[in-house]
Amino acid sequence: MVDALVSVFLEKLLNTLTEESHFVTKYREQLERLKEQLLLMQSFLKDAERLKRKSEHETLRNIMALLRDLIYEAEDILVDSQSQSNNGDGGDKLTVWLHPSKLSFQYQTGKRLKEINDKIAEIKQSISSFLGVPLLNPTNLMEAHNDLMSRWSSHAYDHTQVVGLEGDTEKMKDWLFEASDGILAIGIVGMGGLGKTTLAQKVFNDRRVEDRFERRIWVSVSQTFTEEKIMRSILRSLGDACLGDDESELLKKINQYLLGKRYLIVMDDVWSEDNSWWLRISGGLPKGNGSCIIITTRNEKVARKMGVYEARTHVPKFLSEENSWLLFRKVAFAATGGECVYRELEVTGKEIVKKCKGLPLAIKAVGGIMLCKPPHNHEWKRILRHFREELVENDNSVMASLQLSYDELPPYLKSCFLCFSLFPEDCEIAKEQLIHWWIGEYFIPLRTGRLSTEVGEDCFSELTNRCLVEVVDKAYDNEVYTCKIHDMVRDLVIRIAKDDAFSIPLDGNSRHLGITSDMNGKHLTTNRKLRALVTTAKSGEVNKIPSNVVEKFCNCQHLHILDLSKSIFDEPLSKLLDEIGFLKHLTYLSLSNTHPLVLVPNSLEKLQKLKIFDASYCQNLKRLPSCILNYEQLAILDVSNCGSLEYLPKGLGTLTNLQVLLGFKPCKLSESRGCRIGELRSLTRLRRLSLQLSHGDEIGDDEVTALLNLQELLFLTISCFDSHDVDLVSKLDKLSPPQQLHKLSLHFYPGKISPVWLNPISLPMLRYLSMISGNLEKMNESFWGAENTVWKIEGLKFEALSDLNADWSIVSQVMPSLKILNVSWCPELDSFPVEDAGFRGGAWKREDESS
């Protein structure tokens, strides 16, 4: 982790050195020295990190821990000195004469920077000698640093692919379909990493299983469960938020929901041998109708105590040598369709696979490493050698492969990966929450000239490609919404985060804490140097934060990240927001889904460094203050799903660094204080935009070209919820998007005919199109293209368009590149190749012609 710390600190230091502040001027010599030394050290820190875990290298461990603490201290000096500058230090003789304490601060800062530099110089020499490697020539180090960070994501591996489960799946389905009286209990038992959950998911999501059971419920049990949490999880799966329900009423409600229905419940990852909780829950479930329970566990005794007979216990086998190699190929050679086109790599690859002992998680982890490596045999042999060394230290092939995968991460990705240590077991985590955090804390390098949101997406893709992060929920176009990590991956990330004081320690050293309902305010008092406070509530849950904890949030003056989403407070939010206004180092503030948020006060005007402001899903929020126009560095503004929002403040067009703007609602002509859609012309860095339109006068005749010159815009959503304005239809018909648009979503489109600009000539780069709800009856003639002009669309989605009529033969003809079609609740599209398109529908996928 120290190599990751150095990488992140260098990013902040290099950004600081570009500033023309008094702090930089006064200490430039020491800062430049620090930069040069750390750039020199980067070349061998990775090897030092790997070796320090070995039991005989305690000296190296101590040296690396000292370096870690020095980097943290140097970072604190950067932050504190910038605070002094922001408070009007100025550094001139008059200021020092009037405030003698500033002279002392300046002297101590310079003295401490020199001491840190001297100690780092000693450590640099010690590590170099220990490893027996020479120090590199500092020439071109900066170029090498940038090259290292410009190597981004590779071709994505499809996580839905599984190997060797066909027979297991059919066996499980046969058992399910045999069920009649009572509740049939089925067990999947085996060691960690064997694929128990994967098998259960494959059965759970099977179309025949979906058709047979009227209710399907998935519950992640894990080690830290309570009976109440289990019942609330079941109710949330049934669509009941159950926020105000008393615990004594929960089981009764579950019974009412399931009474008379055939249901399937999966209890995933059960650990406890105490089955009293299960006896109470199962005793309250309705019996009969062929309902079933599937239990996955590592302990056969647990399955027996939960009512699983031996005859209905399935123990997944280790993958065969053939299937192990097949799974490895699917991951490691995803770029070439799973085929090993480099014959010299096959021998080394099969040796690597053999070390995995047929465990799917281990095979995917090492496959993910190789996916991101160049196809050179010497590099593959190096990985094989390190894998062997890791297996000497840890005979568990899964944990050894995961540790190797972490070791091989680029430094910037290690920091991103350690963020997962804050979240509870089996937590589904929003991708956007992670990316916003990474951007706000400078975990991703931004000197490559690329947009931070684009780089953040690539970092996330790298972690999924390496099979360290599992995709949970994604859209028809494969855009990921949520993710999670395997419990064995979580064990690894928690251990590393604890060892390196990233999170977990409560002794004042931790830099990152999760916000939970039961968090202790003392942790905020002892960790005054906190960089991030992040909500870790699970899906469907909310944090209830007491006032004695809330008041301590703002004592953490070094905070960069404050994510209060999905939280309820027992005191007015306005008081907390007034205090947040003093956290001058904040780069990311999330108030998403906080209650009750009606107005955002002007007291936030001091947050000059804010890059991300998220106020989405605040249904009572009426408007944002004009002080947000002071956020010159703002890259992401999200006010989506704010039903009461009237408009955004006039002057929004001055925020020229905006890359993402969600929930933009232009004001009407009669409102002089609001932002008009014409201001979007100035936001030339916009990459993602969602518009909320309801009236025709929200778009002036001279504003219909407002989007045309947004050359970075790739993702556009236009929603016209609850609009019945005829004038809006004619305005929308003229509101042409830019030609390079990649994905377009039209929600609640009020017209009966699609807009004239929705055609393959106007949108030649469009790859994904979704149209959801609205009055649409047919597509404009322009949609079908002119002679010899066809769409390049690869993904198409129609949902809840009850009047839309279109011929599949014509659609398929003008969309020859179409790979996925998703249709539901469109009864007039009966010719489309999707079963039950008029109701819940489904997806059609074009068969891969190369397979």
Side-chain angles (χ1 to χ4, degrees), residues 20 40 122 158 175-176 194 303 360 494 499 508 600 718 840 844:
E20 296 298 326
L40 278 166
E122 293 175 16
D158 182 1
W175 286 351
L176 290 175
L194 193 55
I494 285 177
D499 289 346
V600 176
I718 301 175
R840 61 178 179 170
W844 166 86

Side-chain angles (χ1 to χ4, degrees), residues 13 81 204 331 377 405 417 429 531 579 735 761 771 801:
L13 179 57
S81 299
F204 187 81
V331 182
N377 200 34
S405 187
F417 179 58
I429 308 163
R531 292 293 184 269
E579 295 294 323
L735 190 69
I761 297 175
M771 306 184 79
L801 297 168

Side-chain angles (χ1 to χ4, degrees), residues 532-543:
L533 275 171
V534 179
T535 190
T536 56
K538 287 187 174 184
S539 177
E541 296 181 0
V542 294
N543 295 316

Side-chain angles (χ1 to χ4, degrees), residues 29 78 211 449 475 759 837 839:
E29 183 179 345
L78 276 188
D211 289 339
N759 66 73
F839 295 94

Side-chain angles (χ1 to χ4, degrees), residues 153 184 290 318 394 409 426 428 471 543 559-560 658 688 725 780 785 804:
S153 61
L184 176 65
F318 295 100
N394 187 346
L409 288 176
D426 296 303
E428 289 187 21
V471 172
N543 295 316
L559 271 183
H560 285 61
L658 271 179
R688 186 180 294 266
D725 191 337
N780 194 295
L804 179 62

Side-chain angles (χ1 to χ4, degrees), residues 330-476:
K330 283 179 176 288
V331 182
F333 302 111
T336 53
E339 291 303 316
C340 177
V341 297
Y342 310 98
R343 292 304 162 202
E344 68 276 14
L345 300 181
E346 187 166 336
V347 174
T348 308
K350 285 185 174 179
E351 281 192 66
I352 292 172
V353 171
K354 190 175 181 180
K355 301 292 181 188
C356 297
K357 302 176 182 176
L359 286 162
L361 183 57
I363 294 167
K364 288 197 291 185
V366 293
I369 297 171
M370 308 324 294
L371 172 64
C372 300
K373 295 293 179 185
H376 305 319
N377 200 34
H378 68 85
E379 180 70 359
W380 280 50
K381 284 185 177 296
R382 181 185 69 81
I383 298 297
L384 173 60
R385 184 173 67 253
H386 287 175
F387 196 12
R388 284 176 180 147
E389 292 171 0
E390 199 59 51
L391 285 167
V392 171
E393 295 289 314
N394 187 346
D395 190 43
N396 184 321
S397 63
V398 173
M399 293 310 294
S401 66
L402 294 175
Q403 181 66 62
L404 181 64
S405 187
Y406 173 79
D407 289 344
E408 290 298 321
L409 288 176
Y412 60 87
L413 275 185
K414 288 183 177 178
S415 297
C416 296
F417 179 58
L418 289 186
C419 293
F420 288 89
S421 64
L422 265 69
F423 295 91
E425 287 179 280
D426 296 303
C427 182
E428 289 187 21
I429 308 163
K431 179 193 69 175
E432 297 303 328
Q433 182 186 24
L434 292 167
I435 292 177
H436 292 173
W437 180 359
W438 300 342
I439 293 172
E441 209 168 346
Y442 301 92
F443 285 167
I444 54 177
L446 300 178
R447 293 184 320 285
T448 56
R450 303 175 69 208
L451 297 178
S452 59
T453 49
E454 183 183 5
V455 176
E457 293 276 357
D458 285 347
C459 285
F460 183 85
S461 294
E462 276 212 68
L463 289 174
T464 57
N465 285 347
R466 293 167 187 267
C467 301
L468 289 171
V469 175
E470 302 174 16
V471 172
V472 177
D473 189 23
K474 62 181 180 179
Y476 76 102

Side-chain angles (χ1 to χ4, degrees), residues 821-839:
L821 171 70
N822 198 304
V823 180
S824 59
W825 308 105
C826 297
E828 300 301 316
L829 299 182
D830 54 358
S831 64
F832 277 51
V834 175
E835 185 181 346
D836 211 14
F839 295 94

Side-chain angles (χ1 to χ4, degrees), residues 39 46 61 81 130 199 385 400 494 644 750 830:
L39 283 170
K46 179 179 174 181
R61 277 198 299 277
S81 299
F130 188 93
L199 174 58
R385 184 173 67 253
I494 285 177
S644 302
D830 54 358

